[in-house]
Amino acid sequence: MGSKLIFNEQFDMSESDQNPFNYPFRSMTDFSDELYEPNTGVELEVMPTGIGPTVDVVVAEGRVYALLEAGLAVLEAESLKELGRLDGLLSARQVAVLGSIAIVTARECGVYVIDVSDSGNPKLLSAYDPVEFATGVHLARPDLAILTNRHYGLEFVDLAVPSSPRFMSTILVGEAQSVFSLGAIAYAGVWYEKELVLVDFSDPRSPKIVGRSALDGFGDGVQVRQELAFVATGHHSALQRDPRTFEQARHITLDMLERGYGKGHGVEIHNVSDPKNPRLVNVVKSPPGFCSPDTWRLTLHGQWLVQTDSGSGAFVYDITDPARPVPTAFAVLPPFENHRQPRTLSIQRDRHPVTGAAIVGNTLLLAGKTSDLYRCDLSRLEREAARQEQPVSPFLLEYPEPDTPQPSKALNLLDTTGQVHWVASDGEVLFAAAGEDGLYVLDPTSRSVLAHQQIDGSSQHVFCSRGLVYVSQVTGGLTIWKRGDTTLRQVGSWHDGPGVRQVMIPESLPLGLAIVGAGEFAVLDISDPAEPICVARHQLIGHAYARLLADRLVEDSYALGATQGSGLNWFDLSGLSGARALPPSSGARLCPITEGFTVHQGRALVVQAGGYYFASPDNPQLHGEASHIREPNCFFSGNPQSVGPDRIVLTNRATGSARVLDVSDESAPKTISYLQLPGNPDRPIRVGDHLVFPCGRSGLCAVACP
């Protein structure tokens, strides 16, 4: 049989079996930066309106004006019902509305002057030919428009007769992108030169620059309230003088970031009470990035300041104290279906860009140039929420001194030419999944081998249910066996694509669950064991390292599985119509070596961050929200297994340690034994007063259960 059965032989751990690196206990999730949350507030849900790609949006005169790819739509403010539309506006970029006049800049197509006095029938009054590509626009008053023409600066246009706009003057200010005015001062966000430029236009035919203030990013959108000017910036910080510096780069490197690459995004606040001497008051940085289109805008509404940052989304700040904006919320638009091939590298995901924003009531409107006009609900953003503290990390600030597992006098039950991955019992005999050496059946009383079945693939998991034995054979699929006294008879099999690594088959439900491939969970109808049928597949994020499938149900209906990247996943196996995955506890990311879960007394017990907590399918845990139960001066490390109403065993397969906990008081666990086992032990089963461990190349071992 290729095996040696050892009777009543005990042995001490050899020096080679000791793993001196059983500490640190810390797992891949056990670091403070795993809980890092950028100070951007809560994420807003974005809801598409269905109006189509929207370049810009403003609220004026009780109406919403959505600038579309080739038209201007006038919408009712609350319902967003379309009241009227003007088509044929090509290459549109920005829109400004004051009174009955709307101005649309259209780059190479010039400027459109539109009569919006009748919301249901907007009319084109005239087209104006600017000095260059008109990008930004602001209506200083009903008869005066200020345009930004990139390198050609600001252009002042007389609208006294809207059907016949007249040129007044231009002034070079640098590469002007957007402009705002208050009183007789125009504030230009200047792109390449990274400046806020103040222009006195008390005589629009002879404007004069009166002040400049340097920016730490490429300037664009501007808003002014009282003595403060808010400026949106993007692309690179002032450390990178030339935006072409890294054009030949094929990867983003740390030295690029250190030299300012992509780090110009944010909002700057400048005191402009003295226009001749503007000064920087504060800077709030948004995430670095470099993605098109090059448009970063600002919207002021009551206590809210909204920054639209192209592909990085939109950021909402509470400016109750205008000089100290508090990040309150953010929103991102959906990703592109197919990744674009931008000319320059970006460190943000390739999402549909936000190119404009407006607020009407408690609704934030976001213009998506390549997607749609979206709405977000701001009603839940209370001022107190904006100042909420960062969540408390469940991870310890100081770690206890490690305790040392004691060498065990383990009883070796089985030695094979393969490695014993798993052990199960049908209440009478033991089944050992022994890798390439197949499946063993042992009598736990006499410790004799009753049967040995060679199989295809590698026997990595065995499960007993409904009087049958289910063997996961990786590339050999799933096989189902019926045991006689000393024989095994195959009664069914299932193999569909990837290898089968682990199964959980409930006694009373029609469905079971299998881990197939690296990280896919298959729901199986096993009502006919001869021909199991896959009724649903769920591909999770990351790999199902180790065996991350609980061997019992939670609340008699839910199977519990995980991958390294997805957190806990709940599968409803209560009926064929179910076969579904519930929303995962995605925040409960687990290191499969030092953390894990088991079903204890019908509940999910999750070991994480050196302690444990209880989870349920109706309460998806977020990282840091769980209240961890700990043992004083002790750090739990390993995959847990419930072996009785008052016992949990934590097994660390990498270090070979097994900690037995007394959990008769679940709120105060106590270590009653901490053992060093041979080989690479996995989760044990309890047989009488012993714990039986599958110990990999060291076979099947038993120790007394304290």
Side-chain angles (χ1 to χ4, degrees):
M1 290 185 181
S3 66
K4 177 179 65 175
L5 187 64
I6 303 176
F7 296 94
N8 300 321
E9 180 179 344
Q10 293 184 335
F11 59 91
D12 293 328
M13 296 289 297
S14 67
E15 184 176 346
S16 62
D17 287 322
Q18 299 285 351
N19 185 341
F21 301 107
N22 62 81
Y23 190 82
F25 306 113
R26 301 177 73 177
S27 71
M28 63 178 65
T29 64
D30 184 18
F31 294 92
S32 59
D33 59 345
E34 178 72 19
L35 286 176
Y36 171 72
E37 291 191 5
N39 192 20
T40 50
V42 300
E43 183 171 4
L44 298 172
E45 180 184 5
V46 292
M47 296 168 283
T49 64
I51 196 171
T54 305
V55 181
D56 195 10
V57 60
V58 298
V59 175
E61 313 301 329
R63 294 286 186 260
V64 173
Y65 296 85
L67 187 59
L68 310 178
E69 284 186 304
L72 178 67
V74 185
L75 312 177
E76 199 277 330
E78 292 188 8
S79 67
L80 298 184
K81 175 184 176 182
E82 185 171 326
L83 302 174
R85 178 185 294 223
L86 175 63
D87 292 320
L89 309 181
L90 303 179
S91 200
R93 183 64 177 262
Q94 288 188 23
V95 60
V97 180
L98 184 61
S100 61
I101 297 297
I103 305 294
V104 172
T105 54
R107 307 283 278 177
E108 73 279 4
C109 294
V111 176
Y112 301 106
V113 182
I114 303 164
D115 178 2
V116 292
S117 57
D118 180 357
S119 299
N121 187 29
K123 296 179 181 179
L124 180 65
L125 294 177
S126 58
Y128 177 77
D129 182 18
V131 67
E132 206 245 2
F133 283 13
T135 299
V137 60
H138 178 73
L139 282 166
R141 53 182 192 252
D143 63 347
L144 181 62
I146 308 174
L147 309 177
T148 62
N149 294 316
R150 303 192 323 126
H151 294 288
Y152 290 77
L154 302 184
E155 182 171 355
F156 294 84
V157 182
D158 182 355
L159 296 176
V161 181
S163 60
S164 182
R166 299 175 60 191
F167 171 82
M168 299 182 75
S169 65
T170 61
I171 183 171
L172 297 179
V173 295
E175 190 176 359
Q177 289 286 102
S178 296
V179 65
F180 186 88
S181 74
L182 185 65
I185 301 294
Y187 303 84
V190 177
W191 201 79
Y192 184 84
E193 293 80 3
K194 304 183 181 74
E195 286 185 317
L196 170 67
V197 178
L198 285 66
V199 175
D200 183 340
F201 64 95
S202 51
D203 180 359
R205 296 186 181 279
S206 182
K208 295 180 175 59
I209 294 175
V210 293
R212 297 178 183 271
S213 193
L215 303 173
D216 188 40
F218 290 50
D220 195 348
V222 184
Q223 291 283 317
V224 181
R225 179 176 288 178
Q226 297 177 344
E227 75 279 3
L228 296 179
F230 302 84
V231 188
T233 60
H235 280 343
H236 313 302
S237 79
L239 292 173
Q240 185 179 332
R241 297 301 302 171
D242 190 333
R244 300 164 297 184
T245 301
F246 299 110
E247 275 192 353
Q248 302 303 313
R250 290 297 176 264
H251 303 85
I252 295 175
T253 60
L254 288 177
D255 65 299
M256 289 169 63
L257 295 175
E258 290 171 356
R259 292 170 63 183
Y261 184 89
K263 295 177 70 175
H265 295 259
V267 177
E268 299 196 13
I269 305 169
H270 296 252
N271 188 305
V272 292
S273 55
D274 179 0
K276 296 180 180 180
N277 296 289
R279 57 184 177 84
L280 179 66
V281 174
N282 201 353
V283 177
V284 181
K285 285 293 187 183
S286 50
F290 193 117
C291 53
S292 62
D294 305 338
T295 177
W296 316 292
R297 308 285 301 284
L298 292 177
T299 298
L300 273 174
H301 183 86
Q303 75 184 84
W304 305 122
L305 173 68
V306 181
Q307 170 202 5
T308 60
D309 200 20
S310 193
S312 293
F315 302 92
V316 182
Y317 304 92
D318 182 344
I319 54 168
T320 302
D321 181 349
R324 295 176 176 81
V326 177
T328 304
F330 70 96
V332 291
L333 300 190
F336 283 95
E337 291 184 7
N338 297 306
H339 189 78
R340 297 177 300 167
Q341 297 297 321
R343 287 182 55 202
T344 50
L345 297 171
S346 177
I347 55 180
Q348 300 295 338
R349 188 174 181 185
D350 190 25
R351 293 183 176 274
H352 287 284
V354 182
T355 52
I359 294 178
V360 54
N362 284 321
T363 299
L364 170 63
L365 299 174
L366 299 178
K369 178 181 179 181
T370 58
S371 52
D372 201 353
L373 176 67
Y374 298 84
R375 61 192 304 168
C376 304
D377 183 8
L378 297 179
S379 60
R380 66 191 184 102
L381 298 184
E382 300 296 335
R383 187 173 304 173
E384 290 74 18
R387 290 167 171 78
Q388 62 185 347
E389 297 181 358
Q390 289 287 90
V392 177
S393 169
F395 302 118
L396 299 173
L397 296 178
E398 296 184 8
Y399 287 81
E401 288 296 318
D403 49 349
T404 302
Q406 299 303 306
S408 66
K409 295 187 179 296
L411 179 67
N412 191 319
L413 303 180
L414 179 68
D415 189 14
T416 80
T417 58
Q419 59 173 320
V420 179
H421 288 280
W422 204 261
V423 62
S425 174
D426 63 1
E428 296 180 358
V429 300
L430 302 180
F431 299 88
E436 64 268 26
D437 200 16
L439 179 69
Y440 284 85
V441 184
L442 285 81
D443 184 327
T445 303
S446 66
R447 305 186 182 99
S448 59
V449 174
L450 301 177
H452 177 207
Q453 181 67 49
Q454 294 290 350
I455 54 141
D456 293 331
S458 174
S459 175
Q460 291 203 357
H461 184 263
V462 58
F463 194 91
C464 297
S465 180
R466 310 180 184 198
L468 299 173
V469 182
Y470 300 81
V471 183
S472 299
Q473 300 171 193
V474 194
T475 56
L478 172 68
T479 56
I480 306 171
W481 303 80
K482 181 71 176 178
R483 180 183 71 86
D485 289 339
T486 59
T487 61
L488 288 170
R489 177 174 59 88
Q490 184 172 342
V491 297
S493 65
W494 178 80
H495 192 188
D496 182 12
V500 181
R501 299 171 50 213
Q502 186 181 4
V503 297
M504 198 283 290
I505 310 296
E507 284 284 352
S508 58
L509 300 183
L511 301 177
L513 191 65
I515 298 179
V516 295
E520 186 176 16
F521 286 72
V523 181
L524 303 178
D525 177 359
I526 35 77
S527 54
D528 180 2
E531 295 184 0
I533 300 172
C534 180
V535 296
R537 287 181 180 269
H538 303 283
Q539 180 66 56
L540 305 186
I541 299 172
H543 295 303
Y545 293 107
R547 278 163 279 274
L548 295 178
L549 182 57
D551 61 358
R552 285 160 248 180
L553 293 174
V554 175
E555 299 177 5
D556 298 323
S557 297
Y558 301 100
L560 183 60
T563 59
Q564 182 270 329
S566 68
L568 299 180
N569 289 262
W570 309 86
F571 302 90
D572 183 359
L573 303 183
S574 59
L576 290 175
S577 61
R580 61 193 179 95
L582 276 65
S585 303
S586 56
R589 288 187 59 196
L590 301 171
C591 171
I593 299 171
T594 62
E595 300 172 331
F597 50 86
T598 187
V599 177
H600 182 69
Q601 301 289 81
R603 296 182 296 163
L605 182 149
V606 184
V607 170
Q608 183 195 54
Y612 65 72
Y613 65 89
F614 291 94
S616 61
D618 59 349
N619 181 28
Q621 297 282 355
L622 296 177
H623 228 19
E625 284 189 352
S627 179
H628 287 63
I629 300 168
R630 306 181 189 278
E631 180 179 358
N633 302 315
C634 187
F635 194 99
F636 297 160
S637 173
N639 277 283
Q641 181 72 4
S642 175
V643 294
D646 60 354
R647 292 290 186 272
I648 297 290
V649 180
L650 305 176
T651 309
N652 189 314
R653 192 167 183 265
T655 66
S657 64
R659 184 184 299 273
V660 183
L661 298 177
D662 179 350
V663 291
S664 51
D665 180 354
E666 294 173 346
S667 64
K670 297 178 182 178
T671 298
I672 54 177
S673 181
Y674 188 31
L675 302 174
Q676 184 71 47
L677 295 169
N680 301 104
D682 215 318
R683 282 145 284 187
I685 61 171
R686 188 168 183 170
V687 180
D689 57 358
H690 280 76
L691 297 174
V692 180
F693 290 87
C695 289
R697 298 291 179 186
S698 293
L700 193 65
C701 300
V703 298
C705 181

